[in-house]
Amino acid sequence: MNLLFRKSPRRRGGQTPDEVKENDVLSANLDINLKNLQSIFDTSFDIVFHKFVMTNDIKATLIYIDGAVNTQVLEEHVLTPLLSRKEPMQQSIADSIQEKLHIAKKQEIKTIQACVENILIGNCVLLIDTVEKAYALGLMKWEHRPIEEPAGENVVRGPREGFIESLPINLSLIRRKIKTPLLKTESMTIGKYTNTNIAITYIKGLAEEGLLEEVRNRLNQIDLDSVLESGYIEELIEDNPYSPFPQIINTERPDVVASHLLEGRVAVLVDGTPFVLIVPVSFFSLLQSSEDYYQRFLISTAIRILRFIFMFISLLFPSLYIAVVTYHQEMIPTNLLISIAAARESVPFPAFIEALIMEIAFEALREAGVRLPKQIGSAVSIVGALVIGQAAVQAGLVSAPMVIVVATTGIASFMVPYTSQGTALRMLRFPMMFLASTLGLLGIMLGIISIIIHLCSLRSFGVPYLSPIAPLKGKELKDSIIRAPWWKMNTRPHLTGNYNKYRQAGGQKPEPNKN
């Protein structure tokens, strides 16, 4: 895919602006073309109209965005050859341009709309008098930050590179992982005013055609003024936007995207953001980390099991404490019950209000730690939690056991690899606490049953959210709660089709050396 020159991009998000008419073709009169373009870019001081006279006294103009074009290359490889008097044009202007301009990426365009589009994406447009076409020169040089390790997806073992805000660079990072011509990319433009480039990426022969068509249809239905981040797209294409559970993975890691593409999934890249969307997903894939596949399978399995345990702790621990302390004291050992009663003797609030105060305070400290500068964010969140927790206990507002419960719950929530999934569990923690305070353990069971029913009803682009547990697919349990060794995972996960079932040859189990 060529992101620099798009012959007919699929534009979504409203009609073309009134000033740019699709049928307006370029005139052979340079002044008329400049008048049309100057009226479109009226009062835009960053749009440069560089007029000059070529060999044989032919008038020409270069149009580009100041700061978006490599001016050094423009000077050396465009202006210098065109202004040279040593080599006058002995042939047609079109042939002379092709001969003089040693630019790797150049394209002939014939409409005002194409000129505007190329200027806005960072290309330089060359207009020549007496010529009924223009030349789009691929000299874009947008500033971008260097490739760094993603701050929110750190690993002990694995690649340290992450996506940035440049779509072409992000695509190159994926191609660096998957070196095959079967890796396909499709381009479209969404947003009436932002004209944001969107790339659909998949591996031909692994991604099922029905899934691809569904992704295209959902993206084509989007009609927005702007797309500034992939979150706009995610919210508009997911199956159930009212569910707290994410049905699309967003990641900054190229290795995560590559691994999902190799399993037959589809990635959606959005220009201007480092977060790439992956569809379809399941509940279990949102609890898996890329590092699970880089370590030995025994260690990865143990960590996954620990992750599931702490997921339940994050969701249910405060609720269980409230239910047991309020309604089911007989379940607590006598010594522990006496200790809890002594700690709560001076607390004026019931267990539910006590937990609610501490949970809200913890969430506020967590959010403050994220928003503050990195140098002081972690210090404020940790010191604030210690100071507020100790002060609240001494003031008799909350009990020490409740501080322990909330702190353990907070630590457990950090075990979830993806922030979106962890946020869903944090949101559900509050209704579970309310059910526990009103109905005890019965309320907790009703809440769990409601969550399971909701999860069973969810789909992610046609794939059951609880797959491979519901419906049960025994062969795919090798990579769900546990992580089987690589020589056992010969087949790809079953998504919406049976494309390219096997991903490796069988019989690769290493044999011990008997010598």
Side-chain angles (χ1 to χ4, degrees), residues 258-399:
S259 65
H260 283 288
L261 291 177
L262 290 167
E263 290 183 349
R265 294 182 173 89
V266 177
V268 179
L269 291 80
V270 180
D271 193 24
T273 176
F275 290 93
V276 175
L277 308 180
I278 301 171
V279 295
V281 299
S282 68
F283 179 82
F284 298 98
S285 60
L286 288 162
L287 290 171
Q288 298 171 1
S289 171
S290 61
E291 200 172 6
D292 294 350
Y293 301 94
Y294 305 147
Q295 301 186 84
R296 300 177 68 245
F297 73 95
L298 292 175
I299 298 174
S300 299
T301 298
I303 293 175
R304 276 193 185 179
I305 294 174
L306 189 66
R307 198 177 290 146
F308 275 90
I309 293 173
F310 274 82
M311 179 197 70
F312 286 109
I313 291 176
S314 172
L315 177 64
L316 300 176
F317 197 18
S319 306
L320 289 172
Y321 177 81
I322 293 171
V324 171
V325 169
T326 306
Y327 296 103
H328 311 284
Q329 296 90 346
E330 68 278 1
M331 298 179 63
I332 307 175
T334 304
N335 294 335
L336 179 59
L337 180 60
I338 294 173
S339 177
I340 293 175
R344 299 194 70 254
E345 184 176 3
S346 60
V347 177
F349 305 112
F352 171 66
I353 302 299
E354 185 183 2
L356 193 62
I357 293 173
M358 286 303 299
E359 284 290 348
I360 293 175
F362 188 88
E363 294 298 332
L365 285 170
R366 188 208 301 258
E367 189 68 16
V370 172
R371 304 303 168 196
L372 287 172
K374 292 182 180 179
Q375 293 80 0
I376 62 174
S378 58
V380 168
S381 59
I382 295 173
V383 174
L386 292 174
V387 172
I388 292 177
Q390 183 65 24
V393 172
Q394 291 181 351
L397 296 177
V398 296
S399 62

Side-chain angles (χ1 to χ4, degrees), residues 10-13 186-191 196-202 211-224 227 229-230 232-238 248 266-270 277 279 461:
R10 287 174 285 179
R11 183 191 302 275
R12 304 295 302 170
E186 300 178 7
S187 174
M188 63 174 60
T189 304
I190 301 179
T196 306
N197 292 329
I198 311 291
I200 304 172
T201 307
Y202 59 94
L211 171 62
L212 287 172
E213 191 61 30
E214 182 66 21
V215 173
R216 296 188 192 105
N217 290 338
R218 296 192 188 188
L219 289 174
N220 282 323
Q221 290 174 6
I222 297 176
D223 193 344
L224 293 177
V227 175
E229 213 277 335
S230 59
Y232 288 49
I233 305 295
E234 179 178 0
E235 191 170 342
L236 289 167
I237 66 174
E238 62 183 353
I248 298 174
V266 177
V268 179
L269 291 80
V270 180
L277 308 180
V279 295
F461 283 78

Side-chain angles (χ1 to χ4, degrees), residues 360-435:
I360 293 175
F362 188 88
E363 294 298 332
L365 285 170
R366 188 208 301 258
E367 189 68 16
V370 172
R371 304 303 168 196
L372 287 172
K374 292 182 180 179
Q375 293 80 0
I376 62 174
S378 58
V380 168
S381 59
I382 295 173
V383 174
L386 292 174
V387 172
I388 292 177
Q390 183 65 24
V393 172
Q394 291 181 351
L397 296 177
V398 296
S399 62
M402 180 59 73
V403 174
I404 296 173
V405 169
V406 172
T408 305
T409 304
I411 294 172
S413 64
F414 291 119
M415 289 285 291
V416 180
Y418 291 97
T419 305
S420 55
Q421 184 77 324
T423 303
L425 298 174
R426 286 159 53 191
M427 291 175 58
L428 291 172
R429 191 185 303 155
F430 291 96
M432 292 296 294
M433 289 165 50
F434 176 76
L435 289 173

Side-chain angles (χ1 to χ4, degrees), residues 7-82:
K7 293 184 178 180
S8 56
R10 287 174 285 179
R11 183 191 302 275
R12 304 295 302 170
Q15 299 299 319
T16 305
D18 295 337
E19 298 88 350
V20 185
K21 297 181 180 179
E22 188 173 355
N23 295 326
D24 283 355
V25 296
L26 290 169
S27 170
N29 190 319
L30 177 62
D31 294 333
I32 294 177
N33 293 332
L34 289 179
K35 182 180 179 180
N36 291 332
L37 290 171
Q38 286 173 343
S39 66
I40 294 172
F41 294 111
D42 184 29
T43 70
S44 298
F45 71 92
D46 59 330
I47 306 296
V48 178
F49 288 81
H50 181 79
K51 300 179 181 180
F52 61 98
V53 179
M54 297 169 48
T55 308
N56 299 349
D57 296 327
I58 300 174
K59 294 187 296 182
T61 301
L62 283 168
I63 309 173
Y64 57 91
I65 298 176
D66 188 18
V69 170
N70 191 329
T71 54
Q72 182 178 354
V73 176
L74 178 65
E75 177 79 23
E76 295 178 359
H77 298 283
V78 178
L79 283 174
T80 300
L82 293 179

Side-chain angles (χ1 to χ4, degrees), residues 138-154:
L139 301 176
M140 65 173 62
K141 189 183 178 181
W142 296 103
E143 295 296 329
H144 56 77
R145 63 184 176 92
I147 297 173
E148 300 172 342
E149 182 177 4
E153 298 180 64
N154 296 326

